[in-house]
Short mmCIF file of all heavy atoms in Angstrom, two decimals:
data_model
loop_
_atom_site.label_atom_id
_atom_site.label_comp_id
_atom_site.label_asym_id
_atom_site.label_seq_id
_atom_site.Cartn_x
_atom_site.Cartn_y
_atom_site.Cartn_z
N GLY A 113 132.80 48.32 108.18
CA GLY A 113 133.51 48.58 109.43
C GLY A 113 134.35 49.84 109.32
O GLY A 113 134.31 50.55 108.31
N ASP A 114 135.12 50.11 110.36
CA ASP A 114 135.96 51.30 110.34
C ASP A 114 137.08 51.15 109.31
O ASP A 114 137.40 52.11 108.61
CB ASP A 114 136.52 51.60 111.73
CG ASP A 114 137.11 50.37 112.40
OD1 ASP A 114 136.34 49.43 112.69
OD2 ASP A 114 138.33 50.34 112.63
N GLY A 115 137.63 49.97 109.18
CA GLY A 115 138.66 49.77 108.16
C GLY A 115 138.09 50.03 106.78
O GLY A 115 138.68 50.74 105.96
N TYR A 140 129.86 50.72 111.03
CA TYR A 140 129.84 50.14 112.38
C TYR A 140 131.28 50.19 112.87
O TYR A 140 132.18 49.60 112.31
CB TYR A 140 129.23 48.74 112.40
CG TYR A 140 130.02 47.66 111.72
CD1 TYR A 140 131.02 46.96 112.41
CD2 TYR A 140 129.79 47.31 110.40
CE1 TYR A 140 131.76 45.96 111.79
CE2 TYR A 140 130.51 46.31 109.78
CZ TYR A 140 131.50 45.64 110.47
OH TYR A 140 132.24 44.67 109.85
N ASN A 142 134.11 49.57 115.33
CA ASN A 142 134.69 48.87 116.47
C ASN A 142 136.17 49.22 116.63
O ASN A 142 136.93 48.55 117.29
CB ASN A 142 134.46 47.36 116.38
CG ASN A 142 134.98 46.80 115.06
OD1 ASN A 142 135.72 47.45 114.34
ND2 ASN A 142 134.56 45.58 114.73
N GLU A 143 136.55 50.28 115.94
CA GLU A 143 137.83 50.95 116.15
C GLU A 143 139.08 50.14 115.87
O GLU A 143 140.14 50.41 116.42
CB GLU A 143 137.88 51.58 117.55
CG GLU A 143 136.73 52.56 117.77
CD GLU A 143 136.94 53.50 118.95
OE1 GLU A 143 137.38 53.02 120.01
OE2 GLU A 143 136.65 54.71 118.81
N ALA A 144 138.97 49.13 115.02
CA ALA A 144 140.16 48.44 114.51
C ALA A 144 139.72 47.40 113.48
O ALA A 144 138.52 47.16 113.30
CB ALA A 144 140.93 47.75 115.63
N TYR A 145 140.69 46.83 112.80
CA TYR A 145 140.41 45.73 111.86
C TYR A 145 140.27 44.46 112.69
O TYR A 145 141.26 43.81 113.01
CB TYR A 145 141.57 45.52 110.89
CG TYR A 145 141.96 46.68 110.00
CD1 TYR A 145 143.15 46.62 109.28
CD2 TYR A 145 141.16 47.80 109.85
CE1 TYR A 145 143.53 47.64 108.43
CE2 TYR A 145 141.53 48.83 109.01
CZ TYR A 145 142.73 48.76 108.31
OH TYR A 145 143.11 49.78 107.48
N MET A 146 139.05 44.11 113.05
CA MET A 146 138.88 42.97 113.94
C MET A 146 138.97 41.66 113.21
O MET A 146 139.56 40.70 113.68
CB MET A 146 137.54 43.09 114.67
CG MET A 146 137.46 44.30 115.57
SD MET A 146 138.95 44.47 116.59
CE MET A 146 138.60 46.01 117.41
MG1 MG C 503 136.59 47.39 112.61
#
Side-chain angles (χ1 to χ4, degrees):
Chain A
D114 47 296
Y140 68 87
N142 55 15
E143 302 197 316
Y145 300 169
M146 296 313 176

